[in-house]
Amino acid sequence: VYLDHNATTPLAPEAAQAVRDAMCQAWGNPSSSHPAGRKAKELIGSARESLARMVGGRPEDIVFTSGGTEANNMVIHTARRHFHESQARLGDSWGTPHIVTSSVEHDSIRLPLEQLVKESLAETTFVPVSPRSGRAEVDDVFAAIRPTTCLVSIMLANNETGVIMPVTELSQRVHALNQRRAAEGLPRILVHTDAAQMIGKGRVDVQELGVDYLTIVGHKFYGPRIGALYVRGPGTTTPLHPMLFGGGQERSFRPGGSLMEPVWVFLPQAAELVSKNWEAYEAHMRDVRDYLEARLEASFGKQRIHLNSHFTGSKRLCNTSNFSILGPGLQGRRVLSHCKMLLASVGAACHSEKGDRPSSILLSCGIPYDVAQNALRLSVGRDTTRADVDLVVQDLVQAVAQLDQDQAL
């Protein structure tokens, strides 16, 4: 039983069917002017429209990328360059660009920023999340802003706890601050959110969020392993600088012909499914997730289950349950290795090589070390049923019984 949908999702059958059709009908190079090329170009335009509709933006605001990592790196690269270009244009000397983010971001935000700090190319503040709410609180983010701040990047929903961040309020306050900063001759603060985990599980509307940039990851919503970046008026209203130079694809913001085929073959179908059905998906996944947590407490006893993703006053993703089964010798990896049916993770899939060290994200949220060490992250999907949950809980019960028996020897 696959309960690791926050790591990746299977390709939607509708998207898979589109492969055969597109390979026969639109195999041309979209940069070519002949009919085969024009057909491919039309399909890319259709894919752009589908993604824009999914997030409430305009087609011209969508730039396709190889994935979320590239999109996030492009935002960071752009913010730094825009800071320096603005500084040169105004003849001012603001110093080193400063970026604000949270302590629970994906590695594709954290690691580039750490590298820039190491090379003395930027300064970064990693704002701790509140142990009460699991969120990066707006007041704490604002307390970190400096005169040299050029970017605030806060994820829309956390991949391990599922906690939804206050991005709309943050954007509103940054926009108001930018008006005052402009009068003072200070650099504009750009606002970015990584929406990889939220799309397909809840409402995502860039007009409501008010962000300048939003990261889209296809394989998190039953699409292909590519991504896109929403940019509010790329190159005009909002700066966007390429990291690659080449054939001129994607208006030269992101050249590379090999990227285009998965865009127009898979992505529009996956995006249309989200646009039409996200409310039904959300309701179904929340029902199954809540049933899972109730069954866990009924099977193990409330005193033995610690729900790591329950924070007072915070909303969380409809599909995500992060919990620990308390007791010695029940580290998350050991429990999973004794399961016969459950396919899941102890946290982010990209951290899977870190052994029994507990998740830094859970520790950042104030979860005690010995509890975090036992954590399991189960993330249900569109097709997960209550019957699947019953099988998973039975599997966990037998795995824990075996480990308890081993511990007693």
Side-chain angles (χ1 to χ4, degrees):
V1 179
Y2 183 76
L3 292 187
D4 204 16
H5 292 85
N6 283 8
T8 194
T9 56
L11 192 64
E14 294 87 344
Q17 176 60 39
V19 178
R20 188 186 318 148
D21 299 341
M23 289 298 155
C24 296
Q25 299 171 15
W27 43 265
N29 186 327
S31 298
S32 300
S33 58
H34 50 62
R38 288 199 298 272
K39 178 63 175 176
K41 188 173 183 179
E42 286 173 15
L43 287 172
I44 291 170
S46 174
R48 205 182 304 279
E49 289 173 4
S50 294
L51 252 69
R53 191 158 42 243
M54 180 178 72
V55 300
R58 305 176 304 166
E60 57 264 37
D61 294 337
I62 300 295
V63 177
F64 292 114
T65 68
S66 63
T69 293
E70 183 184 348
N72 287 345
N73 275 262
M74 189 182 290
V75 170
I76 294 168
H77 167 77
T78 291
R80 280 189 59 251
R81 184 163 166 184
H82 180 66
F83 175 91
H84 288 301
E85 288 186 353
S86 299
Q87 187 172 242
R89 186 173 64 251
L90 295 172
D92 288 330
S93 181
W94 296 321
T96 304
H98 173 245
I99 295 169
V100 179
T101 190
S102 82
S103 62
V104 296
E105 298 295 315
H106 190 269
D107 278 356
S108 58
I109 290 290
R110 181 178 65 83
L111 293 178
L113 292 177
E114 288 180 352
Q115 186 63 30
L116 289 173
V117 169
K118 186 177 179 181
E119 296 177 15
S120 300
L121 296 174
E123 296 173 342
T124 300
T125 300
F126 293 93
V127 176
V129 295
S130 164
R132 291 183 302 279
S133 67
R135 308 193 314 174
E137 299 294 359
V138 175
D139 286 345
D140 295 335
V141 172
F142 259 69
I145 289 175
R146 307 174 187 173
T148 54
T149 301
C150 62
L151 174 68
V152 172
S153 178
I154 303 292
M155 63 185 2
L156 192 49
N158 185 262
N159 51 318
E160 292 195 27
T161 64
V163 170
I164 297 170
M165 302 293 178
V167 172
T168 298
E169 181 189 350
L170 176 66
S171 296
Q172 291 170 347
R173 287 185 56 179
V174 170
H175 292 160
L177 176 62
N178 274 335
Q179 293 179 345
R180 299 195 296 273
R181 285 169 67 96
E184 297 169 10
L186 294 175
R188 172 185 173 186
I189 300 173
L190 300 162
V191 180
H192 166 248
T193 191
D194 181 344
Q197 291 296 339
M198 189 70 169
I199 292 173
K201 303 168 192 168
R203 180 175 175 83
V204 176
D205 187 312
V206 292
Q207 307 309 325
E208 288 181 7
L209 292 169
V211 294
D212 300 304
Y213 308 97
L214 181 139
T215 296
I216 300 166
V217 180
H219 73 95
K220 304 293 189 183
F221 58 93
Y222 295 75
R225 292 179 182 276
I226 57 169
L229 182 65
Y230 162 83
V231 186
R232 188 181 299 276
T236 54
T237 304
T238 304
L240 185 64
H241 295 290
M243 295 192 298
L244 304 174
F245 296 88
Q249 292 87 355
E250 289 302 282
R251 294 156 285 171
S252 294
F253 290 128
R254 204 294 180 185
S258 62
L259 179 68
M260 290 299 105
E261 186 171 87
V263 164
W264 50 257
V265 173
F266 301 115
L267 207 53
Q269 285 75 17
E272 289 296 336
L273 287 170
V274 170
S275 296
K276 293 173 183 174
N277 303 308
W278 72 265
E279 289 172 299
Y281 295 154
E282 182 183 34
H284 169 74
M285 288 188 280
R286 176 172 286 110
D287 174 75
V288 175
R289 189 273 314 277
D290 290 349
Y291 178 71
L292 166 65
E293 293 183 345
R295 290 284 292 114
L296 286 168
E297 290 186 335
S299 299
F300 289 98
K302 284 191 176 184
Q303 74 284 354
R304 206 173 184 194
I305 295 292
H306 188 279
L307 297 170
N308 302 320
S309 47
H310 281 209
F311 293 92
T312 303
S314 292
K315 295 180 180 179
R316 58 176 171 145
L317 291 174
C318 60
N319 78 320
T320 305
S321 180
N322 192 307
F323 63 92
S324 298
I325 305 171
L326 303 182
L330 297 179
Q331 292 88 351
R333 283 177 206 290
R334 297 193 69 200
V335 172
L336 288 178
S337 70
H338 283 71
C339 286
K340 297 172 182 175
M341 299 189 65
L342 172 61
L343 304 176
S345 297
V346 297
C350 48
H351 297 159
S352 59
E353 76 291 346
K354 294 193 175 179
D356 280 333
R357 277 191 296 162
S359 160
S360 61
I361 287 176
L362 293 184
L363 296 176
S364 295
C365 293
I367 305 297
Y369 189 97
D370 58 333
V371 176
Q373 204 169 31
N374 288 17
L376 298 170
R377 182 194 67 181
L378 272 54
S379 45
V380 307
R382 298 173 186 173
D383 301 319
T384 309
T385 64
R386 288 189 170 206
D388 291 329
V389 168
D390 289 335
L391 292 172
V392 162
V393 173
Q394 288 173 20
D395 202 17
L396 286 168
V397 167
Q398 71 79 24
V400 169
Q402 180 65 54
L403 287 165
D404 282 345
Q405 186 178 349
D406 294 347
Q407 188 76 15
L409 296 175

